[in-house]
């Protein structure tokens, strides 16, 4: 009986312990996230990020009490996993004065309040909630900071900058900026000032970042680069950016929409045309002094600007519409081509796409054609055999035959490759048209010429073909900086993907005595590389705006989707030829255009590269570069370059 009682009591005690344990588990479940990690009420945690290639900041809210702001935000990696233990951050604050607030005609403008930092110590109060959630309370009320009066109801902005350092475990953190616009009454801002998307800047600049790469959002830049922060008026954002682009800008400065791309999602879309000011306009029109009346009627402020320079006028004055209208009235295309001995016989059709009309007259009888030329070369298997055959000017010659809009011509003097029956060539067209008031006009009565968009046509020994020389860069990739075939060389040659190569091919020789031989040849691949690297002595003002190692900025992908910078090179790529009769093997020649050091060249030589050797040696195929640098290899060029 005693033993039974003791057993009964033991079972009751065990049952009680189980109940208590279950209760504890239930309470823990109620207080934690689904995965059991700690989190703020209503905000589950989750396992912290194990890999961080990008940081994302989501600002949840700004609380405002007694004039002091507290910003609550979350930081995650590229997989939306919480990042815990951020060691430092910078917090900026500003407010926006509405358009016209300071004076009639004035643009809206940011007013800088403060910048506070937090690392080993904090200016304000910083809280890491240990689940990817963070809070920061500014050290003081904004009102009066930097001698700026806080405006109730105005749009306010906070910017958070994190990264550039590492987590306690040594994980590197990429730099990230994030802005958040808010209003002190808790409602969404009624207005803000966003004129440009950062991705527009980065079509040329890749990853535009300043001040030690700490700041990489245009919204961050304007928060500080305003009249209340910078001491030099030239460093206010709009005039500063405009003036920096006056030199080396790769397209026409008149085309404001290169940067100010029309985008209805931007709150200040088309601001450049709607709100003309002396500061913004004068930073490009540097020959004008508005207050003194130099180059423009005297203006003491911006109140009168829009009276003359209304949006329609401004857009018209900076528009490419007239050019587009003229180009839309003329098209030239090669419709047939074939070899005839060392000549190419070809036919062209001239038409007016605007009216679907085929011009019945040949080019020499159309008085609005200022210049229309055709170039030819053959032998794509060796990147063309000579610089080019002599071009013909269609406006100056009678066609051999033809009627009803299709006329036949011949370009003689081609140098053919060893097996022309299996090879191909290219015909390239370029020219200029005369116009008045956006309409084609007799050149005798017009002083306005418009460059046509150059084009090309591949051909074989017997017919025109769709396939021809490999395409390494495209007009689209070049146009990301240079505009849509607007980069005109030699008057009117602007087809960068295929026309330039007809003359700028491996038959162009390098200076054997040059320190950087690639910078002394006009062979297209070396010409393009060294121009963008700023290493050609005759082009000192070129300053490539992006990361020179980002090959994808210019290179396009091939038919298999692989970037054309990948190794191994196409077998049609020829060695670099020198004026002393020597040659450098193809891969070594291309890589050494950027990798100039003696150690880099020694490495290439050890792997079979040939520098200034015989043509036989340079084409013997001894280069083993692709073993390590080919696709999927340990040092694949697609991986070791900062390609984006």
């Amino acid at each position: 009986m005693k033993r039974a009682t003791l057993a009964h009591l033991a079972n009751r005690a065990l049952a009680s312990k189980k109940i208590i344990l279950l209760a504890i588990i239930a309470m823990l479940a109620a207080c934690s996230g689904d995965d059991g990690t700690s989190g703020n009420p209503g905000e589950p945690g989750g396992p912290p990020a194990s890999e961080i290639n990008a940081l994302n900041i989501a600002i949840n809210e700004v609380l405002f009490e007694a004039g002091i702001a507290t910003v609550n935000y979350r930081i995650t990696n590229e997989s939306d996993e919480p990042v815990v233990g951020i060691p430092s951050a910078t917090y900026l604050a500003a407010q926006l004065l509405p358009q016209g607030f300071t004076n009639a005609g004035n643009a809206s403008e940011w007013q800088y309040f403060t910048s506070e930092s937090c690392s080993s110590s904090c200016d304000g109060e910083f809280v890491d909630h240990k689940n990817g959630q963070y809070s920061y309370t500014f050290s003081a009320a904004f009102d009066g900071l930097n001698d700026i009066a806080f405006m109730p109801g105005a749009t306010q902005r906070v910017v958070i900058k994190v990264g550039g350092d590492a987590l306690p475990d040594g994980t590197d953190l990429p730099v990230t900026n994030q802005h958040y616009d808010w209003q002190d009454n808790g409602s969404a801002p009624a207005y803000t000032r966003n004129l440009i998307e950062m991705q527009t800047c980065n079509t040329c600049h890749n990853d535009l970042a300043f001040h030690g790469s700490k700041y990489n959002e245009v919204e961050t830049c304007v928060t500080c680069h305003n009249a209340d922060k910078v001491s030099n008026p030239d460093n206010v954002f709009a005039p500063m950016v405009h003036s920096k682009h006056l030199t080396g800008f790769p397209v026409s400065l008149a085309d404001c929409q290169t940067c100010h791309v029309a985008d209805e999602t931007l709150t200040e879309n088309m601001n450049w045309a709607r709100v003309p000011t002396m500061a913004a306009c004068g930073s490009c029109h540097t020959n004008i002094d508005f207050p003194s009346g130099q180059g423009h009627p005297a203006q003491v402020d911006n109140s009168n600007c829009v009276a003359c320079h209304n949006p329609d006028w401004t857009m018209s004055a900076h528009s490419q519409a007239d050019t587009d209208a003229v180009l839309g009235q003329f098209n030239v295309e090669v419709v047939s081509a074939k070899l005839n001995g060392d000549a190419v016989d070809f036919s062209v059709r001239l038409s007016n796409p605007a009216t679907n009309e085929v011009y019945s007259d040949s080019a020499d009888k159309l008085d609005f054609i200022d210049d229309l030329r055709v170039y030819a070369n053959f032998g794509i298997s060796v990147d063309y055999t000579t610089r080019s055959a002599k071009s013909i000017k269609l406006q100056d010659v009678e066609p051999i035959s033809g009627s009803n809009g299709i006329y036949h011509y011949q370009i003689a003097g081609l140098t053919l490759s060893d097996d022309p029956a299996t090879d191909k060539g290219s015909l390239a067209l370029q020219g200029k048209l005369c116009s008045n008031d956006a309409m084609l006009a007799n050149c005798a009565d017009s002083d306005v010429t418009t460059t046509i968009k150059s084009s090309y046509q591949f051909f074989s020994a017997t017919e025109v073909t769709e396939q021809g020389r490999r395409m390494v860069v495209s007009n689209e990739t070049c146009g990301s900086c240079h505009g849509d075939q607007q980069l005109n060389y030699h008057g009117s040659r602007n087809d960068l993907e295929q026309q330039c190569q007809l003359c700028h091919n491996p038959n162009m020789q390098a200076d054997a005595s040059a320190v950087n031989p690639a910078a002394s040849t006009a062979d297209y691949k070396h010409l393009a590389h060294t121009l963008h690297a700023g290493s050609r002595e005759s082009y000192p003002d070129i300053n490539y705006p992006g990361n020179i190692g980002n090959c994808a900025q210019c290179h396009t992908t091939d038919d298999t989707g692989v970037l054309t910078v990948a190794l191994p090179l196409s077998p049609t790529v020829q060695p670099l030829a020198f004026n002393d009769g020597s040659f450098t093997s193809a891969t070594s020649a291309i890589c050494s255009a950027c990798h100039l050091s003696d150690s880099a060249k020694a490495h290439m030589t050890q792997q079979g590269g040939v520098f200034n050797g015989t043509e036989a040696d340079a084409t013997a195929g001894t280069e083993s570069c692709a073993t390590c640098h080919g696709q999927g290899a340990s040092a694949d060029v697609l991986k070791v370059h900062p390609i984006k």
Side-chain angles (χ1 to χ4, degrees), residues 277-279 282 285 287-302 305:
T277 66
M278 293 185 290
H285 298 278
N287 59 328
I288 294 177
D289 185 327
F290 292 98
S292 70
Q294 178 182 335
H296 187 281
Q299 303 290 314
V300 296
D301 56 36
N302 297 313
C305 298

Side-chain angles (χ1 to χ4, degrees), residues 92-112:
L92 308 174
Q95 75 179 356
L96 182 63
L97 298 180
Q99 178 183 328
F101 182 85
T102 54
N103 196 60
N106 286 359
S108 57
E109 58 183 270
W110 291 101
Q111 290 185 303
Y112 170 84

Side-chain angles (χ1 to χ4, degrees), residues 348-350 358-362 402-407:
V348 299
R349 178 192 290 122
L350 308 180
V358 174
Y359 290 110
S360 57
D361 287 331
S362 55
S403 61
N404 298 323
I406 298 179
Y407 291 90

Side-chain angles (χ1 to χ4, degrees), residues 355-388:
T355 62
N356 293 319
E357 168 194 3
V358 174
Y359 290 110
S360 57
D361 287 331
S362 55
D364 56 308
K365 294 182 173 61
L366 296 174
D367 58 17
F368 57 79
I369 294 180
D370 177 67
D371 184 19
L372 186 58
R373 306 185 189 201
V374 185
Y375 293 78
N377 209 335
F378 199 79
I380 66 169
S381 61
V382 289
D383 269 357
Y384 301 116
T385 53
T386 62
R387 290 181 61 180
S388 178

Side-chain angles (χ1 to χ4, degrees), residues 173-195:
L173 297 173
V175 172
T176 303
N177 302 169
Q178 184 61 59
H179 73 284
Y180 183 77
D181 294 346
W182 59 285
Q183 217 168 348
D184 61 314
N185 60 11
S187 62
Y191 63 94
T192 191
R193 179 178 170 83
N194 288 330
L195 292 80

Side-chain angles (χ1 to χ4, degrees), residues 410-481:
Q410 183 183 85
I411 292 179
L414 293 174
T415 300
L416 301 180
S417 52
D418 292 340
D419 189 7
T422 61
D423 214 337
K424 294 183 177 68
S426 299
L427 291 159
L429 302 109
Q430 67 172 69
K432 293 184 178 182
L433 307 172
C434 300
S435 64
N436 281 323
D437 299 324
M439 297 297 295
L440 294 174
N442 190 322
C443 290
D445 303 324
S446 170
D447 58 0
V448 178
T449 59
T450 300
T451 300
I452 69 171
K453 293 181 179 179
S454 301
S455 60
Y456 61 90
Q457 177 63 61
F458 299 125
F459 68 95
S460 68
T462 58
E463 61 184 352
V464 298
T465 64
E466 291 297 321
Q467 300 298 318
R469 184 188 185 274
R470 70 190 187 281
M471 190 163 74
V472 177
V473 299
S474 70
N475 288 324
E476 181 180 5
T477 56
C478 297
S480 66
C481 282

